[in-house]
Amino acid sequence: MTATAEGKAAGAAAGPVRVILASQSPRRRELLDLIGMRHEVRPADIDERVLPGERPAPHAERLAREKARTIARAEPDALTIGSDTIVVVDGDILGKPSDEGDARRMLRRLSGREHVVFTAVAVAHAERVASSVEEVSVTFRPLSDEVIDAYVATGEPMDKAGAYGIQGYGATIVERIDGDFFAVMGLALGRMVRLMGELGFEYAFGPPVRRGAARGAEDAS
């Protein structure tokens, strides 16, 4: 191979890649925008029900992987990011509330105590996928029924796991957080970048994401 050909091959290997977010979450979009990662949005349509006997962290990771894989199979040249966030208290998974009454029940259950947020992240390219789970402890201040009613009336809890959003009005009901704030918001950015590196993609503090050398990438099978 000539020097010119070698240069072209190296340039192709290190060239930019499209990034697709396999989620319709506006919070995840905001976080990718925050770090300057240009991306497209293609929500993955998957069954998000908990399997019999499935534990919370493996459940979140399975969903993140399925989201990323679903879009990666249709867009094999792109780098796809999947994520799933769940709130767990007393071993129970609290999903998005079904109505305002359900949101109030969740908030009463979380009031004045600690719970765990699991945010799973998966990155996929063609048939390869790498994934992991970020675990964060969150403690609420005690909440009166009046405070809960006022918060639910804002509408913010209705599309969020555990019926709260830490990046919005819900920031005022959180007393303590032990772990990655961005994971609670919906996307563990540091973990995501590390997983990208495992598949051979480099984030360099802004656009674009480029191909590099894979570091221990996991097979999707």
Side-chain angles (χ1 to χ4, degrees):
M1 183 182 294
T2 66
T4 300
E6 287 176 353
K8 289 181 178 179
V17 65
R18 290 166 55 224
V19 175
I20 297 176
L21 176 63
S23 170
Q24 62 185 358
S25 165
R27 275 77 59 186
R28 294 185 180 122
R29 292 204 66 176
E30 289 169 10
L31 288 174
L32 292 184
D33 288 340
L34 177 70
I35 63 171
M37 187 176 290
R38 287 197 296 260
H39 61 282
E40 306 165 28
V41 175
R42 284 195 57 182
D45 184 15
I46 66 168
D47 185 347
E48 300 193 19
R49 288 176 293 186
V50 181
L51 299 178
E54 191 172 39
R55 300 292 298 163
H59 168 71
E61 187 166 13
R62 177 178 62 83
L63 295 189
R65 289 174 67 89
E66 288 185 9
K67 291 174 184 179
R69 280 169 146 173
T70 297
I71 302 304
R73 285 169 179 151
E75 298 280 358
D77 293 331
L79 180 70
T80 302
I81 299 168
S83 185
D84 192 76
T85 299
I86 58 173
V87 172
V88 179
V89 62
D90 300 326
D92 296 333
I93 297 173
L94 303 187
K96 297 175 183 178
S98 56
D99 54 33
E100 290 188 352
D102 194 27
R104 292 187 185 95
R105 285 189 290 273
M106 289 186 187
L107 291 166
R108 289 191 192 102
R109 191 171 180 184
L110 298 175
S111 172
R113 59 180 304 196
E114 181 181 288
H115 62 273
V116 178
V117 175
F118 292 102
T119 288
V121 183
V123 294
H125 180 253
E127 292 300 317
R128 296 180 301 151
V129 61
S131 63
S132 189
V133 180
E134 194 79 31
E135 179 178 344
V136 185
S137 295
V138 180
T139 303
F140 273 18
R141 65 180 175 88
L143 306 175
S144 67
D145 286 346
E146 291 76 16
V147 168
I148 288 173
D149 288 345
Y151 181 44
V152 171
T154 69
E156 183 177 270
M158 301 313 300
D159 66 339
K160 296 172 180 63
Y164 76 97
I166 197 169
Q167 75 288 347
Y169 299 121
T172 66
I173 64 176
V174 173
E175 185 173 88
R176 176 183 173 85
I177 176 171
D178 185 10
D180 184 346
F181 170 86
F182 300 110
V184 182
M185 191 171 167
L187 186 58
L189 296 173
R191 192 171 289 268
M192 178 193 73
V193 169
R194 292 193 294 274
L195 293 171
M196 289 167 52
E198 290 182 17
L199 291 190
F201 294 89
E202 180 184 63
Y203 164 74
F205 304 101
V209 172
R210 294 185 176 275
R211 301 172 192 267
R215 302 191 301 273
E218 180 184 342
D219 192 346
S221 61

